Amino acid sequence: MARTAESPLLGPSPSRGPSRVGAAGAEEALREAYERERQMVERLQELDRVRTIFVSSVSHEIRTPLTSILGYLELLSEQQDNLNEGQKEFLEIIGRNSQRLLSLIEDLLVLSRIESGSFQVLKEPVDIRSLVHAACREVWPRMRAASHELELHTSDDVGSVLGDSEQLQRLLVNLLTNAVKFTPPGGRIDVRADRGQRGIVISISDSGIGIGPEDLAEIFTPFFRSPDAHRRAIPGTGLGLSIAKTIVEQHDGSIECFSEAGKGTTMIVRLPHALVIRDRGE
Amino acid sequence: MTDAPYVLVVDDEPDVLNLVQMQLEKSGYEVLSAESALDALRLLREYGPPLIGVIDVAMPELSGLDLVRVLRGRPDTAAVPVVFLSARVLPSDVAAGEALGGSYVTKPFTRAGLLRAIEVELRGHKAVAQL
């Protein structure tokens, strides 16, 4: 039996070539679809905007009481002579936890700005050697407290890149802080910065607990915390590495992680040649 | 109360206002503090232009930025050095403060950080005055 073009279910078959009414209908449907899409994009942009404003208000509201907590703590800790050892330790704990709250708020604000696209890289010459040294200096008190050994090597010709020094320092501090946190006391952290064929390579290696293969794929996901980190009660927001990755990507670079459980971790950041500022006479 | 050069501190949060005042007095500055921009304007009428203003940004009624705009518009206070001390930390916030010719210190702050900003502003002011 020949198949009829018309079926009670499908209705009349479309005529060959659109009729004038059909073309107008298709155009109308397209316009409606476009309008729906436009409204959805607008709604998402509005949501993004509201979320950024919300996070920024939360940041402001939390910073205000933290200002009092940390400020009065500074005044109190200048009166150490009047305090016994137990009290000094309590003050130290309050300080440490307030700083942790501050880091959380800072991370949330950075991430929200990154996600809303308002995070912009300020391109200025950044001296890599000074950058690496400054980041190590910032993390040094924590390294020393954990009795880690730091090996720092920056090659003489490493030079400068065009980038945002504050964000690049945040990137290195995030990576170094992880190295410190995930390495048991008395470990070793190696930091290198070299100028390679295709740009600048900064590597941070530690002799820490490492990352298992199942977690390795997740470490750059926002708020991801490995079960190992939870079990060992290692503090963190789960935002550090997603921020690090975004900063690297904003600089057209890449970040890679090599690790094995129990054998330490190496993070490698590559900043492309295009960003490298050539030395005079090169 | 004072004829000596004073630091005008403005913050709507009493705990923070008290903290800044104590931190600065510990460093030898004479301080007059105001809980609002309007309060600050009253102090200015009474005691004349300060050595420097340490001013919060987000305050009800008149913001710290508005207060500095008022200062800039008056001949006797147009050149008063200003340090904004604010919990608003977005680059756009910092830029708004700097556009009014002030240094910008974010909260929470350390005494050393605040003093550094004050000294930088005072040095800059002196340099301009000597031109």
Side-chain angles (χ1 to χ4, degrees), chain A residues 63 67 72 74 78 113, chain B residues 15 23 26 90 107 111:
Chain A
R63 275 169 183 275
T67 302
Y72 286 100
E74 187 183 9
E78 285 164 2
R113 286 177 53 222
Chain B
D15 290 340
Q23 295 279 38
K26 253 181 155 255
L90 294 181
K107 293 175 181 170
R111 178 160 74 228

